[in-house]
Amino acid sequence: MIRCHAHRWLAPALALALVAVMAPARAQSRRLPPPSPALLRSLQGFQQDLERLDRSLLPAAPEADRLDAAEAPDLPAPAATALPEAPEAVRIERRQRLSLAEALAVAVRNDPDLAAAVLGVREQQDLAGSARGRWWPELGLNLAGGFRQQRSYSQVWTDNAGLYPADSPFLVRSQGWNVVQSNVGAAAARMELGWELISPYRSASIAEADESLRASRQRYADRLRQLQLDVSVAYYGLQLADQLQRIRRAVAESDTVVRDQVAALQQAGLVPRLDRLRAEAALQQSLYRLEQAEALQQSRQRQLSNLINVPFDVSLRASETVRLQPPWPLDLEQTIVRGWRDNPQLRVLQAARDALLRQADRRAAELLPSLRLVATGGYGQGLITQPVIELEGCCSSALIPQLLNQRSDWAAGLQLHWRFFDGGVTAGAVAASRSAAARTDQSLARERNAIRQRLEAAFHDHRAALRQIVAARASYSASREAFRDVRARYQLGLADYSDVATTVATLTGAMEGVAESTTLANVSYAQLLRELLPVPDRPDQPVALPLVLGGS
């Protein structure tokens, strides 16, 4: 780790570097001044800090993956519908440091896209359960009740004399009439049973729902892979931004010291005005680069915070320094083959294609015969009251003042449904589903090639980054040895401060090179891992996102 106390040796050392560059070449021919005690003390501190730098920039061995032991800190996600209106609600009040393993654990718990994928799986599970419910019979209950009132008036236009004996109760007189009011109250209950005994449509519907469920599970698994890549890239970028900010702040502070020293020398007449202007220009360039580094650091902090979806008033920092992941364990051909194997991106398209084929089967099944068992049974009761009965020579024999009626019935049978012709409606729908499935095959081919391209690009980037690390570490090691040599020569009076400063400046550049090349290697490793990472495809299974590929 490049710690803050590194400023104490970077500031004077880099200040001397700039003075050395501006000094006339003829200074080498003059007698060397005696070693400065202050500079010697600074070099001693530098030597001690180099041992810490070795552990951060040049680890002896990759650290073990500690993700299994990582627990998600208490950083609950804001409510999905929360839209704060007060500025105080989004003001950063707390800055928390997280390791990459902790950041991944929080992301798995808080990521909105992953939560949406989980809900998508649950939705398809419910739809699949709904489709399977058609294996069971349907049972229903119908209840009915009501009241009805009717008033009727009848008049005899032609009597029926001669049709019945003279004393018959059915005789009516000419111009006879009657008035009858009837009140009817009724209630009924009926049970209905329906059961599909043979139904090709049902089987195809269940198969289609199962394929849709499989696709939703693969989308969940793919989101886990993508989340691991997004968080890793954001975290590695934040680590690099922190490293660059520390180094560039030290450079800016050293350039400030140089500018002040050169200004004092100019006032004493020891250096020309040109040297002061160069020192001022160098300082402004350092401040410009420092502002860039600080802006990048803040941007990367917020990028990680928003990606992980932490509370509005929390900003995340990296608790780990840049460390190199182990080299990618597979060759290119093995990487490509394993990248295609069990890849959720490909499985999503395969499941979508199969769902479209099952959809075609379901639509075709609409023209196939289906056999259904139906049964009904019910009971009803009614009360008929005739409170108004007025007779005048007509219709007296069939009138009852009050009548209670009860009835029950049942029926059972088989229903055969066969729609053998619909003018091509079903055939067109089936052909459309099969065409959509064929289109999905082409999407599958495109995604297969895209996966290979991403793997090949990341593989070559990773190999190049590893070679860059070798060169950067060689530069760092050589610069360290040069520093030890020039420090000893300076103590013996065989070198001046310009030699020391030049060596320190070279060593500082090597530090940035090691950090940047290590970050590039880690990012390309994460891109390779994204296509091969083993992940669960069910939300109820435990999630562990390793940082390295396990087992070749």
Side-chain angles (χ1 to χ4, degrees):
M1 180 185 296
I2 299 180
R3 304 181 185 276
C4 295
H5 61 264
H7 296 169
R8 68 172 184 268
W9 52 261
L10 281 176
L14 293 175
L16 291 174
L18 187 55
V19 172
V21 172
M22 297 185 298
R26 62 178 180 274
Q28 300 296 331
S29 62
R30 295 199 298 268
R31 180 180 179 83
L32 295 178
S36 167
L39 181 55
L40 289 175
R41 288 192 299 271
S42 176
L43 295 178
Q44 177 62 30
F46 188 17
Q47 179 63 36
Q48 296 174 356
D49 286 339
L50 283 177
E51 299 176 0
R52 300 183 180 92
L53 289 171
D54 284 344
R55 289 193 293 270
S56 63
L57 297 178
L58 300 173
E63 299 180 15
D65 188 4
R66 301 185 304 271
L67 183 61
D68 292 340
E71 296 183 359
D74 185 18
L75 293 172
T81 58
L83 291 173
E85 297 181 357
E88 294 78 9
V90 296
R91 182 177 296 122
I92 303 301
E93 301 290 347
R94 179 161 57 106
R95 300 184 183 274
Q96 182 160 343
R97 295 186 180 275
L98 294 182
S99 66
L100 178 53
E102 291 172 336
L104 285 170
V106 175
V108 169
R109 186 184 62 192
N110 290 4
D111 182 57
D113 291 334
L114 187 62
V118 172
L119 294 175
V121 172
R122 292 176 181 173
E123 176 187 0
Q124 293 301 324
Q125 285 177 338
D126 294 339
L127 291 175
S130 174
R132 285 189 174 83
R134 298 186 62 176
W135 283 107
W136 297 93
E138 298 175 0
L139 188 63
L141 172 64
N142 290 331
L143 299 176
F147 176 81
R148 178 170 58 88
Q149 184 181 77
Q150 179 179 353
R151 188 181 182 93
S152 64
Y153 169 77
S154 301
Q155 184 178 11
V156 180
W157 283 6
T158 302
D159 60 35
N160 59 359
L163 296 178
Y164 298 99
D167 58 349
S168 174
F170 296 102
L171 289 176
V172 297
R173 297 198 320 260
S174 179
Q175 300 303 315
W177 56 268
N178 72 352
V179 175
V180 178
Q181 176 181 324
S182 300
N183 297 334
V184 180
R190 177 171 295 275
M191 295 291 293
E192 296 180 352
L193 172 68
W195 196 353
E196 293 181 339
L197 301 179
I198 300 176
S199 176
Y201 183 93
R202 174 184 58 196
S203 300
S205 297
I206 294 174
E208 180 184 2
D210 288 341
E211 295 299 335
S212 298
L213 174 59
R214 187 162 67 94
S216 68
R217 287 172 174 169
Q218 295 306 316
R219 281 191 289 269
Y220 165 77
D222 184 63
R223 179 54 197 164
L224 282 175
R225 285 186 168 188
Q226 186 62 42
L227 183 63
Q228 192 270 351
L229 174 62
D230 293 343
V231 174
S232 297
V233 171
Y235 195 89
Y236 293 144
L238 177 56
Q239 287 178 323
L240 178 60
D242 290 342
Q243 199 89 320
L244 295 179
Q245 189 271 344
R246 285 189 288 267
I247 294 174
R248 291 177 183 178
R249 177 172 292 279
V251 172
E253 291 175 355
S254 69
D255 286 348
T256 301
V257 174
V258 170
R259 192 272 314 273
D260 295 341
Q261 291 178 352
V262 173
L265 292 175
Q266 183 201 5
Q267 290 180 355
L270 299 178
V271 296
R273 176 172 174 269
L274 177 61
D275 290 352
R276 183 182 62 79
L277 294 177
R278 287 175 176 173
E280 182 67 31
L283 173 60
Q284 295 305 320
Q285 285 292 323
S286 297
L287 293 175
Y288 170 77
R289 288 171 58 82
L290 175 60
E291 288 292 337
Q292 282 186 321
E294 290 179 344
L296 179 63
Q297 182 187 45
Q298 294 176 0
S299 174
R300 294 289 172 80
Q301 288 176 354
R302 293 311 308 157
Q303 179 187 14
L304 183 64
S305 304
N306 293 325
L307 176 63
I308 294 179
N309 194 26
V310 298
F312 296 122
D313 60 347
V314 175
S315 190
L316 299 181
R317 292 180 175 180
S319 63
E320 301 174 342
T321 56
V322 179
R323 67 178 178 93
L324 179 63
Q325 299 293 359
W328 186 250
L330 307 177
D331 60 27
L332 179 57
E333 290 74 18
Q334 290 177 323
T335 300
I336 294 173
V337 172
R338 285 191 57 177
W340 286 339
R341 185 190 310 159
D342 299 332
N343 192 303
Q345 298 169 89
L346 299 179
R347 286 193 163 190
V348 166
L349 294 173
Q350 292 169 347
R353 176 200 59 198
D354 293 342
L356 288 170
L357 293 176
R358 301 293 82 75
Q359 182 186 79
D361 295 340
R362 174 177 59 82
R363 290 175 170 175
E366 294 178 2
L367 293 180
L368 298 177
S370 62
L371 185 64
R372 182 181 178 89
L373 171 66
V374 294
T376 62
Y379 171 81
Q381 180 174 291
L383 178 64
I384 303 174
T385 301
Q386 294 179 333
V388 177
I389 301 177
E390 296 181 6
L391 304 176
E392 186 62 37
C394 176
C395 311
S396 61
S397 61
L399 297 175
I400 304 173
Q402 194 171 50
L403 177 67
L404 175 65
N405 174 264
Q406 292 179 317
R407 62 188 181 277
S408 62
D409 65 278
W410 66 271
L414 296 175
Q415 287 183 346
L416 176 66
H417 175 75
W418 190 359
R419 189 178 65 187
F420 50 84
F421 179 76
D422 62 359
V425 174
T426 300
V430 171
S433 296
R434 298 192 183 279
S435 297
R439 186 184 68 241
T440 305
D441 284 340
Q442 300 308 312
S443 299
L444 180 64
R446 182 174 60 253
E447 186 62 31
R448 176 201 62 206
N449 296 339
I451 291 173
R452 177 172 184 172
Q453 174 60 31
R454 290 195 295 268
L455 286 172
E456 290 176 335
F459 184 87
H460 294 306
D461 288 345
H462 184 68
R463 290 295 178 91
L466 292 179
R467 290 191 291 268
Q468 291 171 353
I469 290 175
V470 173
R473 287 184 174 183
S475 174
Y476 178 78
S477 299
S479 299
R480 277 205 59 185
E481 292 299 322
F483 168 76
R484 291 170 182 167
D485 182 72
V486 79
R487 178 189 174 199
R489 290 172 57 83
Y490 182 73
Q491 287 176 326
L492 297 174
L494 301 178
D496 62 5
Y497 62 87
S498 62
D499 298 326
V500 176
T502 301
T503 305
V504 172
T506 303
L507 183 55
T508 303
M511 289 158 48
E512 286 194 21
V514 172
E516 291 174 350
S517 58
T518 301
T519 300
L520 291 176
N522 287 343
V523 168
S524 58
Y525 190 103
Q527 291 169 339
L528 288 167
L529 186 63
R530 186 256 185 272
E531 307 297 343
L532 280 77
L533 182 67
V535 290
D537 61 357
R538 298 173 184 266
D540 55 351
Q541 294 175 338
V543 177
L545 301 180
L547 302 179
V548 296
L549 181 65
S552 59

